[in-house]
């Protein structure tokens, strides 16, 4: 009798999905001060990030896969620091799913990218709003620690989740 083969890529996508669910539950349990979303701005950021994500700056071959580098990082990091974690996760999940589906990516890549963005941006937003002082300017010296912590989380979590996939 043949043993079923395990698709490790799907197993890793499932693991990342569990992390994404945990990230979505965290801000629901621990409230962080964040400004309320103006839905016109949310829509504008969503459209701009989809356009940025669909137009890669660099298209590289990595192993047997193609890797695209886009400028959407600036927009997604801004979204994480401007709005609360749940709003930020919703924006990046919609952005990732839309741009990946419009560029005809495989369903496992679509799922992984959505989960990846939810974990990375959700945690970035959570940490920024946990540490930042909302009464001070966004880019002011008082919020520098929050920006550096959020940027550090963004880079490390993105790197770790992506390297685990490859």
């Amino acid at each position: 009798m043949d043993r079923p083969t395990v698709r490790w890529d799907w197993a890793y996508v499932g693991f990342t999905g569990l992390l994404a669910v945990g990230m979505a539950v965290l801000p629901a349990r621990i409230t962080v001060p964040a400004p309320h979303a103006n839905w016109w701005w949310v829509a504008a950021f969503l459209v701009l990030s989809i356009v940025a994500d669909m137009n890669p700056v660099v298209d590289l071959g990595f192993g047997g896969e193609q890797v695209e580098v886009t400028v959407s990082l600036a927009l997604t990091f801004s979204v994480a620091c401007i709005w609360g974690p749940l709003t930020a996760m919703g924006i990046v999940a919609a952005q990732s799913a839309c741009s990946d589906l419009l560029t005809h990516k495989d369903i496992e890549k679509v799922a992984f990218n959505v989960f990846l963005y939810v974990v990375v941006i959700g945690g970035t937003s959570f940490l920024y709003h946990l540490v930042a002082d909302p009464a001070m300017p966004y880019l002011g010296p008082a919020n520098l620690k929050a920006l550096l912590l959020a940027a550090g989380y963004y880079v490390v979590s993105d790197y770790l989740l992506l390297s685990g996939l490859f």
Side-chain angles (χ1 to χ4, degrees), residues 53-158:
D53 208 31
M54 288 180 60
N55 295 290
V57 176
V58 179
D59 197 4
L60 305 168
F62 185 77
E65 298 288 324
Q66 286 296 109
V67 177
E68 298 170 345
V69 178
T70 68
V71 293
S72 64
L73 170 123
L75 291 165
T76 57
F77 187 78
S78 297
V79 162
C81 296
I82 292 171
W83 293 297
L86 292 175
T87 303
M89 285 186 279
I91 292 170
V92 298
Q95 169 253 320
S96 181
C98 287
S99 62
D100 285 355
L101 290 171
L102 288 170
T103 56
H104 308 289
K105 290 199 170 108
D106 295 336
I107 192 66
E108 66 189 28
K109 288 182 181 179
V110 174
F112 177 76
N113 287 339
V114 167
F115 297 152
L116 171 75
Y117 271 122
V118 166
V119 171
V120 171
I121 296 303
T124 299
S125 181
F126 183 77
L127 286 174
Y128 176 80
H129 292 289
L130 190 65
V131 176
D133 183 356
M136 302 307 278
Y138 170 67
L139 294 175
N143 286 329
L144 183 61
K145 179 172 66 170
L147 283 169
L148 292 174
L149 182 64
Y153 174 84
Y154 188 110
V155 170
V156 170
S157 63
D158 190 50

